[in-house]
Amino acid sequence: PGDTVMDLGCGDGRLLVAAVRDFGATQAIGYECDRVIADLAASAIKQAGLHDRATVYVADALGADVSGASAVMLYLSTSGNTRLRAQLASLRPEARVVSFHWPIEGVEPAATAPAGGTLLRLYMGHDLQRDK
């Protein structure tokens, strides 16, 4: 509860909606580079009546300012995740990053868990800061 959640590669927006509706996130922000899919996410947000707390941008995740997020979800490739490393280093130490399937090269996850045939990787903000 109270989280500001960002979903980079948010697809149809189901995790944005769930973050607010089911888990009490104060705000959910998604980035999706495919306009058609982003429109599906915007529609799901509107249908759920969450337009005041959830937003989706048609934009590349590499342009996202994640510094204010308390939780970030990634559904990108290994190279996409790794290219975000500099941005993720701006997160507060207690922020959480969950990557669906692909790792962030050079960073050891704090935890992993199987989910629906893939592996979830949890990273902490302090593990992503370059000056460690």
Side-chain angles (χ1 to χ4, degrees):
D3 279 318
T4 296
V5 174
M6 295 189 80
D7 188 353
L8 307 182
C10 71
D12 64 9
R14 70 183 69 191
L15 295 179
L16 298 172
V17 170
V20 173
R21 184 188 61 210
D22 302 336
F23 296 99
T26 303
Q27 184 178 24
I29 303 161
Y31 282 78
E32 176 56 56
C33 62
D34 184 308
R35 176 168 295 284
V36 172
I37 296 173
D39 287 347
L40 291 173
S43 178
I45 290 166
K46 184 177 178 181
Q47 248 183 336
L50 300 173
H51 59 277
D52 59 331
R53 293 174 49 202
T55 306
V56 64
Y57 295 103
V58 181
D60 189 324
L62 290 173
D65 175 7
V66 300
S67 61
S70 52
V72 177
M73 297 177 286
L74 304 174
Y75 194 76
L76 306 169
S77 63
T78 299
S79 65
N81 286 352
T82 302
R83 285 196 321 261
L84 285 171
R85 176 90 187 269
Q87 287 160 267
L88 296 172
S90 71
L91 290 167
R92 293 185 305 266
E94 68 278 7
R96 289 112 42 223
V97 176
V98 176
S99 179
F100 293 81
H101 189 71
W102 293 281
I104 299 172
E105 287 182 342
V107 183
E108 195 65 36
T112 61
T118 191
L119 188 67
L120 300 179
R121 291 173 171 84
L122 171 68
Y123 300 91
M124 299 304 296
H126 60 82
D127 293 324
L128 294 158
Q129 294 170 351
R130 292 198 180 271
D131 60 344
K132 281 186 45 159

